[in-house]
Amino acid sequence: MNKTLKFKIATDVIMTGILLFLMSYQLAGDTAHEWLGVAMFVVFIVHHILNRRWITGIAKGKYSVMRVIQTILAVVILLCMAGSMISGVLLSNHLFTFIRIRGVAATARRVHMICAYWGFVFISLHLGIHWQMVVKMAGRCFKTPSTVRAAAAKVLAAVIAVYGITAFIKRKIGSYMLLKIHFVFFAPHESLLLFILDYMAVMVLFVWIGYYGSRCIYQITRKGIKER
């Protein structure tokens, strides 16, 4: 594995970790939330610099079904990140207090919530679509392949994904995504660790959907090409 690929993986891991802590908001604290937002912006820029080949190649080559889905997903994630960051600056109470626009707080709060939660889901799906690369790298860590180990990993992922459905409902994530609830509520004295674990399970759920969904689409389109 070359240094560039290692740096890409490290960047993606850091970005994923920051995203999980950003979702904790009040549990992490307002100031920490704003600093994490700034860190997310920096890492997000670095991520795109490292993947500039893909960006410059958007207008080149043929578009398969999966490439269309990946491109749309990337654009939507970019919009969600931009919406989260701009609204976050407008709502800032610590780092960007010098930026104040009257009468936009309520709208900025709604934009921040919808972009944050949809962004969380879309980023998780994006990870799932590219998860095959992680599977291959994990396989290289072992000298010999093992069907038992592979089956155990699949079962574990499925179990966590199933719990992710429970966590999704318990945490009212769907209500936040649809703006049925305009403020995020946290239980008194809630454990930050348990909150992060719940959101990790939700992330695994959408990674799982992205991974197996992309594989199904690939198999269907491949079958269609062979039948022509």
Side-chain angles (χ1 to χ4, degrees), residues 18 21-22 25 28-43 85 88 92-96:
I18 292 172
F21 278 96
L22 276 170
Y25 183 48
D30 285 354
T31 306
H33 184 78
E34 291 189 22
W35 277 112
L36 285 168
V38 172
M40 187 67 166
F41 172 75
V42 173
V43 178
M85 291 168 184
S92 174
N93 292 316
H94 303 282
L95 303 183
F96 302 99

Side-chain angles (χ1 to χ4, degrees), residues 91-112:
L91 292 168
S92 174
N93 292 316
H94 303 282
L95 303 183
F96 302 99
T97 52
F98 56 91
I99 300 174
R100 277 286 179 268
I101 302 175
R102 290 184 179 182
V104 301
T107 301
R109 191 172 289 109
R110 287 193 291 270
V111 169
H112 197 68

Side-chain angles (χ1 to χ4, degrees), residues 158-168 170 194 197-198 201-202:
V159 169
I160 297 173
V162 169
Y163 176 72
I165 298 171
T166 303
F168 183 89
K170 181 176 77 174
L194 292 179
L197 289 175
D198 271 359
V202 175

Side-chain angles (χ1 to χ4, degrees), residues 119-195:
F120 176 78
V121 170
F122 288 136
I123 289 171
S124 301
L125 289 171
H126 177 74
L127 283 171
I129 288 173
H130 295 281
W131 200 253
Q132 185 62 33
M133 184 176 67
V134 178
V135 173
K136 287 180 180 179
M137 285 190 297
R140 293 190 192 117
C141 296
F142 302 94
K143 292 182 179 179
T144 56
S146 168
T147 53
V148 174
R149 186 171 59 241
K154 289 177 181 178
V155 170
L156 178 61
V159 169
I160 297 173
V162 169
Y163 176 72
I165 298 171
T166 303
F168 183 89
I169 296 168
K170 181 176 77 174
R171 295 294 176 179
K172 298 182 174 63
I173 293 174
S175 296
Y176 296 139
M177 291 171 70
L178 298 174
L179 282 182
K180 290 183 178 180
I181 302 174
H182 289 190
F183 293 91
V184 182
F185 295 100
F186 296 91
H189 311 297
E190 178 164 15
S191 166
L192 176 60
L193 176 61
L194 292 179
F195 181 92

